[in-house]
Amino acid sequence: MRLRLIEGVHAAGREVLAIYSRDFSVETKADESPLTEADMASHHALVALLGEVTPQVPVLSEESGEIPFETRRGWERYWLIDPLDGTKEFIGKNGEFTLNVALVERGVPVFGIVHAPVLETTWIGQVGQGASKWQAGETVPIRVRELPDPSEAPWKVVGSRRHGAEAFEAFCAGLPAHECVSMGSSLKLCLVAEGAADLYPRLAPTSEWDTAAAQAVVTAAGGEVLDATTLEPLRCNRQESVLNPFFIVCGQRDERWESALRASLER
């Protein structure tokens, strides 16, 4: 099943790339966010894939019609997908967009695929069984890195290219020696998962489908995705709204960044 899922996500990615390489239409959704024909092509391809592989498991997609919480709350196990995470990056043609597919069990993302078609890279994680990175036909295991001594090597902090810059800067101001990198979509979580970054504070709105697949990858790689206020793991499908609280992605806990986070939230 795992191989079939990866192949299917790659096939959806090829459909997205075909649209990316030409002129395409852009609409505006009710929440003022953009929608392209690539979002919908990926949505239909991924929903069909999951319906074929696991017909008994319900699917919630960003581009699905609204599914009431009264229905969703009874789901012990379901697929949560973002057909095109980083639509603004797609429109801007910088390559920093992904297709995200997550399996959620009792509110916990336990399996995830994050595919970046332009980068020809895929991150896969299954909680309890580890995480890997597929690139150029080769698959290698990945793991979060140990937080370095900042007097010897700066921490690497990744932030959103478009959201929450002021809060991000406030957080970074409280850190020891560090380097910052800006990037779009769920690629930021994947950088922590593979040990290329140490921290990703997200102090701006996101939805569960934006993060669930990459959260599974991070967790499988030994890291955590934590509510920024409670420092408890993010959970899905716990309320009517699918909005996440602010959160932080880390390879390991450390009082220095926790203190900086608290200060940034108190501003």
Side-chain angles (χ1 to χ4, degrees):
M1 181 181 81
R2 178 180 171 125
L3 180 59
R4 176 69 188 95
L5 288 171
I6 295 170
E7 290 174 343
V9 172
H10 285 177
R14 289 191 291 273
E15 289 190 45
V16 167
L17 273 183
I19 297 169
Y20 183 74
S21 65
R22 60 169 170 79
D23 292 336
F24 50 83
S25 60
V26 181
E27 302 175 12
T28 301
K29 295 194 286 189
D31 63 359
E32 300 300 315
S33 63
L35 177 72
T36 72
E37 56 187 292
D39 293 78
M40 296 311 300
S42 179
H43 163 76
H44 292 303
L46 293 175
V47 169
L49 168 69
L50 297 172
E52 172 195 324
V53 176
T54 55
Q56 74 284 6
V57 180
V59 178
L60 176 62
S61 165
E62 179 178 7
E63 309 310 337
S64 297
E66 184 174 342
I67 300 176
F69 181 57
E70 291 182 0
T71 299
R72 291 187 284 111
R73 72 191 307 170
W75 293 353
E76 289 288 302
R77 190 169 185 249
Y78 69 102
W79 291 105
L80 180 58
I81 65 176
D82 189 343
L84 187 58
D85 181 34
T87 300
K88 290 180 180 178
E89 316 303 334
F90 181 89
I91 294 168
K93 297 211 169 185
N94 67 9
E96 295 177 0
F97 60 87
T98 60
L99 284 66
N100 299 343
V101 176
L103 181 63
V104 179
E105 294 184 349
R106 298 180 180 85
V108 179
V110 296
F111 173 77
I113 300 173
V114 178
H115 177 51
V118 172
L119 304 179
E120 298 183 336
T121 303
T122 309
W123 293 263
I124 306 110
Q126 187 163 354
V127 175
Q129 297 188 31
S132 58
K133 178 180 178 179
W134 177 94
Q135 193 170 39
E138 181 181 1
T139 302
V140 296
I142 59 172
R143 187 160 182 84
V144 297
R145 75 169 187 167
E146 185 175 344
L147 196 62
D149 180 344
S151 66
E152 298 178 358
W155 292 357
K156 295 183 179 179
V157 185
V158 64
S160 173
R161 189 180 295 286
R162 299 178 184 274
H163 306 283
E166 184 176 343
F168 177 77
E169 290 171 3
F171 169 76
C172 290
L175 297 178
H178 63 278
E179 298 173 348
C180 295
V181 177
S182 295
M183 187 167 287
S185 76
S186 55
L187 292 170
K188 297 181 287 292
L189 291 92
C190 294
L191 289 183
V192 176
E194 66 177 51
D198 299 301
L199 297 167
Y200 164 38
R202 178 67 184 210
L203 307 177
T206 57
S207 295
E208 293 172 4
W209 44 62
D210 296 317
T211 56
Q215 180 178 351
V217 175
V218 170
T219 305
E224 295 184 279
V225 181
L226 306 171
D227 182 310
T229 301
T230 65
L231 294 183
E232 293 293 325
L234 284 195
R235 291 291 180 261
C236 299
N237 203 31
R238 288 293 185 256
Q239 58 186 357
E240 183 74 43
S241 172
V242 294
L243 287 176
N244 286 319
F246 293 172
F247 63 85
I248 188 163
V249 185
C250 63
Q252 63 187 78
R253 300 276 295 268
D254 187 282
E255 175 55 34
R256 290 167 291 183
W257 69 251
E258 291 179 26
S259 176
L261 181 62
R262 286 192 297 269
S264 69
L265 293 173
E266 290 168 359
R267 292 176 71 257

